Amino acid sequence: TSFRIGLASLTNAPIFPDNPTFREQIDDFSSLPGIPLRAGLQGKDNSGSDYGSYIIGFLEAPETGNYRFNIASDDNSALFLSTDHLREHRKLIAFELESGAPLFGGARQDQRFSVPIALVRGQKYYFEVLHKQAAGGSYIQVGWERPDGAQEIIPALHLAQYPLDLF
């Protein structure tokens, strides 16, 4: 089971990253009747077994200041953020090696919460989220703590599509 939930089983898959079996754009407007809105930087709940998610794009800070990022998932996940708009400057800032903790709470905050990261309003920052699901319930959520202390899932309003994605 540990192989099935490890991120290496995603990144070593022959179809990763250029040949996904499914693509979708994250936004705040894709609600279907009777299904709650899934807003911001998060995936679908309970989307199946033995799958991986690779979310890439840009984020833009609504104000200049220090942000702390948080990731929560079932099963494993990792969050990378660049110091600018370039992929090659990305660094691992938060990760989940177990599962089930709520965003902004629960166990393993030392690995799931980033150190404060200075962002400048209007500047784009490249990000990547890797998520690997084995079996059972599933979710992936990425949030931030803004300079004013407010915590939220990163709204789609502050996300932009990665240009090389032919969605």
Side-chain angles (χ1 to χ4, degrees), residues 34-122:
I35 298 175
L37 176 66
R38 301 302 298 173
L41 189 45
Q42 62 182 324
K44 295 178 178 177
D45 288 346
N46 300 315
S47 298
S49 296
D50 287 323
Y51 74 90
S53 301
Y54 180 51
I55 305 169
I56 60 175
F58 298 103
L59 65 85
E60 188 175 315
E63 60 184 294
T64 297
N66 288 325
Y67 290 75
R68 292 186 68 209
F69 293 83
N70 189 262
I71 193 164
S73 64
D74 183 353
D75 290 304
N76 296 175
S77 61
L79 172 61
F80 296 82
L81 182 67
S82 179
T83 55
D84 55 25
H85 65 283
L86 299 174
R87 182 179 191 270
E88 54 268 21
H89 296 152
R90 76 191 185 285
K91 293 181 181 170
L92 178 66
I93 63 166
F95 60 94
E96 172 64 279
L97 292 179
E98 296 183 37
S99 66
L103 191 64
F104 303 116
R108 300 173 301 284
Q109 287 296 302
D110 59 324
Q111 66 189 34
R112 297 189 312 108
F113 233 127
S114 75
V115 299
I117 298 172
L119 301 181
V120 176
R121 180 180 181 186

